[in-house]
């Protein structure tokens, strides 16, 4: 047989023995090429249809990649590319000649929707597929919500569309999403299949003509599924609208379902959440390209290989870090101070690893951790002589950390990197006790360290670009999002968290209850409010830090006012709770009460209510009703205000860094794009006005005083977030 042409956008048609219509290569980062790809697909199909010598069609991608879908940046431009894809998918499906998709690399979003129009799908064994639109605040809007349930049934389609997860070729085969998985050349296999299909009926392969497979209990299934989808979504609109589109497929004919899909797609497109989620997608990729004020970046530094690592301290953080390293296939030595601590730590690590191994097995992967070459436990520092990198994860105490770093500096080989998992302490001070401050860096993990994606990477005054590059590479290998930031108390995350939590506590002094404050912030979209979070983390952690800072405890100067420190407002409420042994979940009591010590279900505690009332009486504070708006503004705007100071000081190189930290480490709702993106949507003049108002009411709270950088940006006319940093050093004659 000799038919066809190879039709690729921007290429001359080449004579080939078979037909291929080549679609978008990966990297659909521009708007226009995507429109060109759509046009090329349409032209190719029409030409194939009109050419009697063409008997079948194969659709594939270029360079071994089917398609990553539409250019996400295009969705926020007025010329919304991708919108014309649905009719093209229909055109493919209507073809009288068999059309076979050859899926190599990835087929995502619009790319996978193209394959759903094809009559047959063949995938390479290493291909990955998915409809990730939900993760960027959209739904598969090229008829994918109507075709996929018809192909693989409602439960599987619901799972794939509402989570946006990528699936492997073998899972796709099991689900019936693809007809065949091959290890050889996929395009050749597709052409062979296309040849075999010539002349065969295609009606039963046109998904739009098929009914959605019935379930015995469809209504009950959908009711239950909606509850689950909403719970997972936590205020994000896209999963629920994806659900509605699929539900429409179960209730309406194909054409009506497509109309519903289009209607829901347009709601999402203009919702604001899609814009925030797409910003978050690019922000995560932007922080990967780190730079420092001195100009260091990937361009100037190469990461060093980490063949063996060590973790010191097997408390909660150390256990999670060891687990992450083992999962990343980096041989690791876990060190504790004595055998008793080591054995407790070892048991806990093994339990975590067993659970992780089980989860991985479900996805067809294995985790090898019972091999001493992979994981070794020790109490003797001497075993650290040959490691390439050490992560210290001991108690948050400067003297202890310095003692350990001094020892590490003497024992570890000269080229080894020394990392500290401090959440706030000065990296330079820790580095000062070593003979290699250029190889000392902060690696701030978030609890549970084997689950949370964020890794705050803190460079000190002497940290070398190679050390930063190595820590960033380590983050990548551990499948974490590394964010490079400068050294200051609390770095980015905890420094911004401090005024947020402080306001939450001040609100309790003035009349709110912990559950009121938590509710407002959870309704905003935080996974967990500040008081539930404090109970989870343990109130004693902050108490210890305040004692170290001389803010409370025995070192506090006699006669210090209960509610003032250094002339500013201070709330002793958390200290008072700790003095009563209320450390949170671990003691069964904190800002809430729990069923038992270690319990997880927070219940409002009448004891706390009367304690707060007595406290207000003692300090002659008039209890007042505080509305949701004030709770939200005081907590969020002080956090954002601190963010502007952080940017002005050069601690982070852009607002994206702060947003990525908050989304991945602090449960900030991703569909609100991070605190600085949220600020840009509220409008900087509004934030400034509110901060000015609250600052006038509370002149003894410096965190409410608007940041000079915020004021400058407002004076400069409230520029878009992308331009903020360019105003940092510009003169403003309005200030
Ligand atoms: C009515 C209209 C209906 C339908 C139209 C169709 C809609 C869609 O298709 S929506 C888009 C669906 N696709 C996605 O969401 C895919 C998103 N991309 C990814 O998941 C990943 O990037 C990847 C799996 C494709 C590749 O991962 P990886 O190899 O780790 O590379 P990076 O993520 O770092 O990406 C490299 C580079 O490419 C840019 N990029 C990737 N995908 C897109 C995209 N869809 N649009 C625009 N740009 C994309 C990414 O930002 C990186 O760019 P830089 O190097 O400049 O940072």
């Amino acid at each position: 047989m000799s038919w066809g042409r190879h039709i690729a956008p921007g290429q001359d048609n080449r004579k080939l023995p078979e037909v291929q219509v080549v679609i978008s290569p990966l990297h659909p980062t521009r708007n226009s090429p995507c429109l060109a790809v759509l046009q090329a697909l349409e032209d190719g199909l029409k030409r194939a249809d009109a050419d009697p010598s063409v008997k079948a069609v194969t659709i594939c991608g270029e360079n071994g990649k089917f398609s990553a879908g539409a250019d996400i940046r295009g969705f926020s431009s007025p010329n919304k590319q991708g919108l014309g894809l649905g009719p093209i998918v229909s055109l493919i499906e209507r073809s009288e000649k068999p059309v076979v998709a050859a899926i190599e690399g990835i087929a995502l979003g619009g790319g996978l929707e193209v394959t759903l129009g094809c009559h047959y799908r063949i995938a390479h064994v290493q291909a990955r597929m998915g409809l990730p639109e939900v993760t960027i605040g959209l739904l598969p809007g090229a008829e994918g919500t109507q075709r996929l349930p018809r192909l693989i049934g409602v439960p599987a389609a619901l799972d794939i569309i509402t989570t946006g997860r990528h699936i492997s070729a073998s899972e796709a085969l099991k689900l019936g999403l693809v007809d065949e998985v091959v290890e050889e050349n996929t395009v050749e296999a597709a052409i062979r299949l296309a040849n075999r299909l010539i002349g065969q009926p295609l009606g039963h392969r046109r998904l739009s003509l098929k009914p959605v497979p019935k379930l015995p209990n469809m209504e009950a299934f959908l009711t239950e599924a909606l509850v689950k989808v909403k719970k997972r979504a936590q205020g994000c609109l896209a999963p629920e609208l994806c659900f509605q589109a699929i539900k429409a497929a179960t209730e309406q004919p194909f054409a009506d379902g497509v109309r519903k899909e289009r209607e829901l797609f347009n709601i999402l497109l203009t919702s604001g959440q899609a814009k925030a989620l797409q910003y978050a997608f690019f922000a995560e990729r932007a922080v990967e390209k780190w730079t420092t004020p001195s100009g260091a970046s990937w361009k100037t530094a190469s990461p060093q290989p980490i063949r063996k690592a060590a973790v010191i301290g097997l408390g909660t953080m150390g256990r999670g870090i060891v687990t992450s390293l083992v999962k990343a296939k980096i041989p690791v030595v876990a060190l504790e101070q004595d055998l008793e601590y080591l054995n407790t730590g070892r048991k806990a690590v093994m339990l975590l690893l067993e659970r992780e191994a089980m989860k991985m097995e479900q996805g067809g992967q294995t985790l090898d951790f019972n091999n001493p070459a992979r994981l070794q436990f020790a109490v003797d520092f001497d075993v650290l002589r040959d490691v390439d990198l050490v992560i210290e994860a001991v108690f948050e105490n400067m003297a202890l950390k310095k003692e350990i770093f001094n020892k590490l500096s003497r024992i570890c080989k000269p080229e080894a990197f020394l990392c500290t998992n401090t959440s706030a302490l000065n990296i330079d001070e820790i580095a000062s006790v070593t003979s290699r401050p250029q190889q000392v860096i902060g690696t701030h993990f978030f609890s549970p360290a084997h689950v949370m994606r964020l890794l705050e990477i803190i460079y000190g005054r002497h940290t070398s670009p190679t050390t930063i590059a190595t820590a960033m590479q380590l983050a990548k290998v551990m499948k974490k999002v590394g964010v490079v930031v400068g050294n200051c108390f609390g770095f980015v995350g905890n420094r911004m968290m401090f005024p947020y939590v402080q306001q939450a506590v001040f609100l309790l002094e003035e009349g709110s209850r912990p559950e009121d404050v938590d509710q407002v912030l959870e309704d905003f979209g935080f996974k967990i409010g500040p008081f539930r979070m404090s109970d989870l983390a343990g109130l004693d952690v902050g108490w210890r830090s305040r004692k170290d800072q001389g803010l409370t405890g025995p070192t506090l100067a006699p006669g210090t006012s209960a509610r003032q420190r250094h002339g500013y407002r201070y709330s002793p409420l958390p200290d008072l709770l700790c003095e009563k042994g209320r450390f949170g979940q671990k003691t069964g009591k904190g800002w809430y009460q729990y069923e038992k010590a270690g319990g997880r279900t927070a219940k409002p505690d009448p004891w706390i209510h009367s304690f707060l009332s007595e406290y207000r009486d003692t300090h002659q504070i008039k209890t007042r009703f505080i509305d949701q708006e004030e709770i939200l503004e005081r907590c969020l705007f002080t956090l954002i205000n601190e963010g502007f100071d952080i940017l002005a000081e050069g601690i982070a190189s852009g607002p994206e860094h702060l947003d990525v930290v908050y989304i991945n480490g602090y449960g900030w709702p991703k569909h609100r794009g991070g605190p600085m993106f949220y600020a840009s949507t509220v409008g900087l003049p509004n934030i400034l006005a509110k901060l000015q108002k609250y600052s006038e009411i509370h002149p003894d709270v410096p965190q409410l005083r608007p940041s000079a950088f915020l004021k400058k940006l407002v004076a400069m006319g409230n520029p878009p977030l992308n331009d903020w940093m360019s105003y940092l050093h510009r003169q403003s004659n309005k200030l």
Side-chain angles (χ1 to χ4, degrees), residues 193-268:
L193 175 63
N195 272 320
R196 292 202 300 275
L197 293 170
I198 293 168
Q200 290 193 18
L202 293 172
H204 67 295
R205 303 297 301 187
R206 294 193 173 101
L207 294 176
S208 70
L209 304 181
K210 282 174 74 121
V212 171
K214 292 223 169 340
L215 287 177
N217 50 354
M218 185 69 89
E219 215 181 306
F221 171 82
L222 287 174
T223 310
E224 207 175 298
L226 179 60
V227 174
K228 281 193 202 143
V229 166
K230 274 185 161 176
K231 190 168 173 213
R232 237 187 6 236
Q234 288 185 308
C236 183
L237 211 54
E240 192 178 337
L241 268 58
C242 284
F243 170 89
Q244 283 179 23
I246 297 165
K247 186 164 180 268
T250 69
E251 295 168 344
Q252 298 175 22
F254 186 82
D256 293 344
V258 167
R259 263 190 291 280
K260 183 75 182 171
E261 180 192 90
R262 177 57 43 90
E263 184 192 308
L264 296 168
F265 185 88
N266 284 330
I267 294 174
L268 288 173

Side-chain angles (χ1 to χ4, degrees), residues 518-540:
D518 278 349
Q519 194 60 53
V520 170
L521 290 154
E522 286 164 19
D523 286 349
F524 175 78
F526 271 99
K527 290 202 171 65
I528 181 168
F531 293 109
R532 264 186 253 275
M533 183 175 71
S534 170
D535 274 1
L536 176 70
L539 273 76
D540 51 325

Side-chain angles (χ1 to χ4, degrees), residues 541-609:
V541 180
W543 192 34
R544 205 177 305 122
S545 163
R546 289 189 297 280
K547 282 196 273 193
D548 286 349
Q549 294 172 63
L551 294 169
T552 190
T555 55
L556 189 64
T560 306
S561 152
R563 297 184 56 231
Q564 276 211 334
R565 296 293 181 272
H566 313 298
Y568 296 121
R569 181 170 170 186
Y570 178 84
S571 174
L573 280 173
D575 302 332
L576 295 173
L577 256 60
C578 287
E579 283 164 22
K580 292 183 190 310
R582 296 182 72 109
F583 290 170
Q585 287 189 4
K586 63 176 91 164
T587 56
K589 286 187 177 91
W591 297 108
Y592 291 89
Q593 55 178 322
Y594 297 84
E595 62 278 22
K596 57 175 193 269
R600 285 166 173 235
T601 316
K603 260 181 45 187
D605 192 346
W607 183 91
I608 282 281
H609 301 154

Side-chain angles (χ1 to χ4, degrees), residues 580-657:
K580 292 183 190 310
R582 296 182 72 109
F583 290 170
Q585 287 189 4
K586 63 176 91 164
T587 56
K589 286 187 177 91
W591 297 108
Y592 291 89
Q593 55 178 322
Y594 297 84
E595 62 278 22
K596 57 175 193 269
R600 285 166 173 235
T601 316
K603 260 181 45 187
D605 192 346
W607 183 91
I608 282 281
H609 301 154
S610 44
F611 166 74
L612 288 173
S613 168
E614 278 167 34
Y615 173 88
R616 292 182 201 121
D617 289 346
T618 308
H619 296 284
Q620 293 162 351
I621 306 168
K622 199 164 173 295
T623 305
R624 65 186 179 92
F625 169 75
I626 303 173
D627 64 17
Q628 297 180 357
E629 192 183 356
E630 181 174 347
I631 294 176
L632 199 64
E633 288 173 351
R634 281 179 57 187
C635 292
L636 296 188
F637 292 0
T638 45
L639 180 150
I640 289 165
N641 197 36
E642 194 69 40
F644 281 109
D645 276 349
I646 286 174
L647 292 178
E649 288 168 29
I651 295 293
S653 46
E656 298 88 355
H657 291 63

